[in-house]
Amino acid sequence: MNGAEQDVKVAGSQAGSTSSDPLLQPFRLKNLTLRNRVVSTSHASMLDDGGQPLERYQRYHEEKARGGLAMTMVGGSAMTSPDSSWGGGQLDLSSDRIVPHLQSLSQRIHRHGAAVMCQVSHLGRRATAYAGNWLPPVAPSRVRETRNRNFPKEMDAADIDRIVKDYASAARRCQAGDLDGIETVTGGHLIGQFLSRRTNRRTDAFGGSLENRARFGLMVHEAIRRAVADDFAVGIRLVIDEAVEDGSDFEECLAFARLFEREGHIDFFNCIFGRMDTDLSLAEQNMPGMFSQSAPFLPLVGQFKRETRLPVIHAAGIRDIATARHAIRENLVDLVGMTRAHIADPHIVNKVMRGEEERIRPCVGASYCLYKKVHCIHNPASGHETLVSHIIERAETPRRVVVVGGGPGGMEAARVAAERGHSVTLLEAGARLGGQVLVAASAFDRKDLIGIVDWRIDELARLGVEVRLNTYADAELVLAARPDAVIVATGGVPDMEWLEGAEHCDSVWDVLTGVVPAKDDVLIYDETGRQAAVSCALHLARMGRTVTLAIADDTLAIETPYPDRVIFRKRLSELGIRVVSDVRLAKAARHGNGIIGRFRHELTGAETEMRAAQLIIERGTVPMEDVYQELRARSSNNGVTDIALMTAARAKGDTPSPIAGSFELHRIGDAVASRDIYSSIYESYRLCSQL
């Protein structure tokens, strides 16, 4: 055995796995042997405390290590320099203050057998001058980014020297923090801004030819390699095609890769596609979600891997185990990034190892983790590890629990209560479980949301929950079950009664589900800023209807993740849907064979009229609370849920003893107030994990 082989580090007890599953095979990355092929790539979790990875940041990444993956990568856009801030949410690698926190983080990850690396970057023109340290952004040339909107200073020799040294210092701090390696990033960040002709218009030794444009990145990596030990892994997250006419195509990106390989200062490529200088490019290229096909760039990454020598990582829309396994089996990548999939379920690898692949909570691509950072639309524990656990503890005393309503909140309540060891009955008035998710998933672009329902149906069956469909629950039916606890999750019904002339209108629900047929000329009014009305507009336009969308807000779909907002705007433009903003519907009335809506402008107060064959309304829901009100007087708590119970403020052991012959009553989700899927599920989880 030679010296290099003797120095190989083994991350995790799975390193010698003999499983035939390609995902579970170990992999050697430089001198680090990873226990399997599944990783989570760097992303901005927004869980830092002033740029430091403290308890909640560490617990979030530790859960993925506990769940069996090979490596978690921290520090999305971590700051090498004081002038590399976008205003918050980044790890700050620009001072030694971070080192002890990285040491604590590394210790947590390593004790579960996983490796940990950090992304080290300078944002260049992507930084902001108006927050953080209030320093002007710098860039190779004075080219403003569309998305971040700052005008950068063109870097001079002093800036270049300073930032190269900052990269090296940041890498040294990561090694001092006992991390296993780092990666830099090209893309829209500073190294990539030098590489791309779109952003590099210099005429000196750092501009013009391919070699000149690569010079800054090569200097950075040479400085990093001199600053860290030989066994410390150093990689680069490299764009393999900018997918724009004046940018670097695949062949040029491949030439850059070969330059970096030839210089010998890097150990792996983490391949990404496209740009990140607009919301649309981020949504369609860097972080493809619900509107994109699964793993859209895998074939090109596979081609890149065939033409380069170093190991390849890739993560973009790889949300399921079948796709990940295909990527490894077909040698398209060496390590597969399932980053958002691990926000949905941090225990993916352990479930595969236990033969429980079907129990993996699916990533449905909703991009909620980009709206409320690292909050999965249907995993309430992700990002809340210091408040709630991913593992549900068994209750000391089994109880009889009745859940009324089979939407996402009710299903989650039944699931969690059953995991606690309680005997659970779920009563649903409809013929199917799913509630409003069924409505949402009926829109073509949002069909994958059905995974929220299907996963819970399987879990309820596994846990032995009694599910009674087509059962309208009144107070007597509920009480006949002799419950110790009743959870009312009856949801709501479309809010229409506020409008004069509502009898002439239809709801988005009715039209999306086909209960009411759509007419040829449709006017849709949205007062929520959520997905429902926009999805309905797209759905009807694809059916050949003429659609106008009137919104009370100044921005389309304002309560949605930015990838949804920009793609909704794109789709509406493609389909020729007219959007009228800043108007509030005041009245509806019949007009011949059609309908007329009277609107008042939010800013001027001016009144206008719009006519169509059909007026469709989305204004949230009104709680369905009949059974809750019937049961209140008979409950031990008068239907009042202790706020401390919902905020994890109540100490363990403070749960009041049940009153003999009585029951506690709670209501959750839209049965309380109109909100979103995540709110209902999180509320159910917090409540029922303490029943």
Side-chain angles (χ1 to χ4, degrees):
M1 181 179 293
N2 61 38
E5 290 172 328
Q6 289 176 340
D7 289 340
V8 171
K9 292 187 288 183
V10 177
S13 57
Q14 299 171 26
S17 172
T18 57
S19 167
S20 61
D21 189 333
L23 287 177
L24 300 182
Q25 301 306 306
F27 183 76
R28 177 171 170 170
L29 184 62
K30 198 174 178 63
N31 292 334
L32 178 70
T33 298
L34 301 171
R35 58 183 173 179
N36 56 62
R37 302 298 187 94
V38 181
V39 304
S40 173
T41 55
S42 299
H43 55 287
S45 68
M46 310 301 285
L47 295 176
D48 64 292
D49 290 273
Q52 303 303 305
L54 304 187
E55 183 73 8
R56 58 181 186 160
Y57 194 101
Q58 294 181 27
R59 291 274 292 277
Y60 165 68
H61 283 281
E62 182 183 14
E63 195 66 37
K64 291 183 281 189
R66 182 183 285 113
L69 54 54
M71 176 171 65
T72 188
M73 303 177 82
V74 304
S77 304
M79 294 168 53
T80 59
S81 312
D83 54 356
S84 181
S85 173
W86 61 38
Q90 304 157 266
L91 292 190
D92 185 358
L93 297 170
S94 67
S95 80
D96 290 343
R97 179 185 170 210
I98 198 169
V99 171
H101 304 306
L102 291 178
Q103 290 170 340
S104 177
L105 169 65
S106 299
Q107 184 178 23
R108 285 177 184 262
I109 303 302
H110 289 152
R111 74 185 179 199
H112 296 293
V116 56
M117 294 190 188
C118 183
Q119 186 177 100
V120 175
S121 184
H122 194 293
L123 291 170
R125 69 175 188 155
R126 303 205 77 218
T128 181
Y130 306 113
N133 293 310
W134 288 75
L135 294 169
V138 297
S141 303
R142 289 187 295 273
V143 181
R144 185 192 195 205
E145 183 185 278
T146 303
R147 187 170 194 267
N148 283 46
R149 306 185 64 80
N150 286 265
F151 290 96
K153 170 199 174 188
E154 184 171 303
M155 294 170 65
D156 58 24
D159 293 317
I160 290 173
D161 290 344
R162 169 178 61 86
I163 292 173
V164 168
K165 291 176 183 176
D166 286 347
Y167 267 101
S169 296
R172 189 183 301 112
R173 291 180 185 111
C174 289
Q175 184 175 42
D178 297 327
L179 272 62
D180 299 291
I182 62 163
E183 68 169 9
T184 63
V185 56
T186 64
H189 293 223
L190 186 57
I191 295 175
Q193 291 162 30
F194 271 95
L195 295 179
S196 176
R197 287 169 294 183
R198 301 183 73 241
T199 47
N200 185 345
R201 299 176 183 175
R202 302 174 74 101
T203 57
D204 62 3
F206 292 90
S209 69
L210 184 144
E211 290 77 9
N212 281 358
R213 284 180 281 132
R215 191 180 307 277
F216 175 77
L218 293 172
M219 288 170 60
V220 164
H221 280 272
E222 182 179 9
I224 288 173
R225 180 49 68 199
R226 288 177 175 174
V228 298
D230 289 342
D231 66 346
F232 192 69
V234 177
I236 184 169
R237 188 180 292 202
L238 183 74
V239 171
I240 61 171
D241 191 333
E242 284 196 288
V244 66
E245 185 176 351
D246 60 344
S248 298
D249 61 12
F250 178 77
E251 290 303 322
E252 183 165 276
C253 291
L254 189 59
F256 283 131
R258 288 169 175 157
L259 261 181
F260 281 104
E261 282 187 328
R262 188 184 71 196
E263 292 299 309
H265 298 311
I266 63 170
D267 305 305
F268 65 89
F269 293 112
N270 186 350
C271 294
I272 56 175
F273 181 90
R275 310 185 322 279
M276 57 180 71
D277 53 3
T278 66
D279 281 352
L280 184 62
S281 59
L282 274 170
E284 292 187 330
Q285 297 173 351
N286 264 226
M287 294 177 284
M290 185 177 293
F291 294 92
S292 303
Q293 69 183 63
S294 174
F297 312 121
L298 260 180
L300 191 64
V301 173
Q303 183 181 344
F304 176 90
K305 177 172 165 53
R306 288 192 296 272
E307 300 191 42
T308 51
R309 295 183 291 102
L310 292 175
V312 168
I313 303 172
H314 176 61
I318 302 173
R319 301 199 294 264
D320 62 274
I321 285 295
T323 302
R325 189 174 284 125
H326 164 78
I328 299 296
R329 180 181 288 128
E330 299 303 316
N331 201 30
L332 302 177
V333 299
D334 296 294
L335 297 169
V336 60
M338 302 187 72
T339 308
R340 280 178 286 178
H342 273 83
I343 300 175
D345 191 337
H347 297 166
I348 289 173
V349 175
N350 280 351
K351 288 179 179 178
V352 171
M353 292 185 66
R354 293 197 301 262
E356 298 177 350
E357 191 171 318
E358 73 285 350
R359 289 200 57 218
I360 294 171
R361 188 190 315 248
C363 173
V364 297
S367 296
Y368 200 85
C369 52
L370 300 176
Y371 178 51
K372 304 292 186 183
K373 291 295 185 180
V374 303
H375 292 174
C376 173
I377 194 170
H378 74 131
N379 184 347
S382 281
H384 286 132
E385 284 78 10
T386 59
L387 300 175
V388 295
S389 173
H390 286 265
I391 305 300
I392 299 168
E393 294 183 359
R394 301 280 289 187
E396 293 181 3
T397 305
R399 305 174 72 188
R400 182 85 180 92
V401 178
V402 174
V403 179
V404 184
M411 295 176 75
E412 181 72 353
R415 182 189 77 86
V416 175
E419 288 276 17
R420 294 274 287 157
H422 301 314
S423 173
V424 183
T425 297
L426 173 59
L427 308 175
E428 165 55 38
R432 297 174 61 192
L433 294 175
Q436 293 182 47
V437 176
L438 300 179
V439 180
S442 63
F444 175 78
D445 286 328
R446 306 188 74 209
K447 62 184 184 301
D448 288 348
L449 288 176
I450 201 64
I452 296 170
V453 175
D454 291 344
W455 182 76
R456 283 173 173 78
I457 288 174
D458 291 343
E459 287 294 286
L460 294 181
R462 179 184 68 84
L463 291 164
V465 172
E466 180 189 12
V467 177
R468 295 165 60 181
L469 301 175
N470 299 305
T471 302
Y472 181 81
D474 58 15
E476 296 310 314
L477 180 64
V478 172
L479 293 174
R482 304 178 65 82
D484 299 305
V486 177
I487 312 297
V488 175
T490 43
V493 293
D495 185 3
M496 303 279 285
E497 296 180 1
W498 56 277
L499 178 67
E500 182 182 348
E503 66 274 15
H504 305 305
C505 305
D506 300 307
S507 74
V508 162
W509 289 22
D510 288 338
V511 175
L512 274 179
T513 57
V515 172
V516 174
K519 297 185 178 180
D520 290 335
D521 178 25
V522 173
L523 171 61
I524 301 175
Y525 172 65
D526 180 31
E527 201 172 306
T528 68
R530 301 173 187 169
Q531 293 98 336
V534 189
S535 295
C536 184
L538 293 173
H539 181 73
L540 297 184
R542 289 190 178 107
M543 294 170 59
R545 309 301 198 261
T546 299
V547 180
T548 298
L549 177 60
I551 63 175
D553 299 305
D554 62 351
T555 302
L556 184 73
I558 196 169
E559 289 188 23
T560 66
Y562 74 82
D564 286 12
R565 287 198 302 273
V566 68
I567 294 181
F568 278 144
R569 285 166 42 213
K570 178 180 178 179
R571 298 282 191 270
L572 264 65
S573 296
E574 290 172 337
L575 293 168
I577 296 172
R578 178 187 174 215
V579 179
V580 181
S581 61
D582 289 310
V583 292
R584 190 173 296 274
L585 181 60
K587 181 180 179 181
R590 273 281 166 211
H591 180 76
N593 292 328
I595 192 166
I596 186 168
R598 179 171 292 278
F599 293 84
R600 185 172 295 109
H601 196 276
E602 285 286 88
L603 305 180
T604 67
E607 293 191 351
T608 57
E609 293 182 348
M610 285 187 260
R611 301 177 183 181
Q614 186 177 26
L615 178 53
I616 302 169
I617 295 174
E618 170 60 19
R619 196 176 182 257
T621 58
V622 177
M624 294 178 62
E625 56 181 4
D626 290 353
V627 68
Y628 169 78
Q629 296 298 350
E630 290 175 14
L631 290 168
R632 285 194 71 169
R634 307 192 198 186
S635 69
S636 60
N637 62 335
N638 193 33
V640 176
T641 301
D642 184 357
I643 292 294
L645 190 70
M646 303 305 295
T647 60
R650 194 163 75 181
K652 192 171 183 178
D654 280 356
T655 305
S657 301
I659 300 172
S662 188
F663 63 94
E664 59 181 283
L665 173 67
H666 306 276
R667 60 173 171 164
I668 57 175
D670 283 7
V672 180
S674 179
R675 287 170 287 169
D676 61 10
I677 294 169
Y678 178 81
S679 298
S680 297
I681 290 175
Y682 186 34
E683 196 164 67
S684 302
Y685 193 92
R686 289 192 294 182
L687 172 67
C688 294
S689 62
Q690 298 190 65
L691 280 182

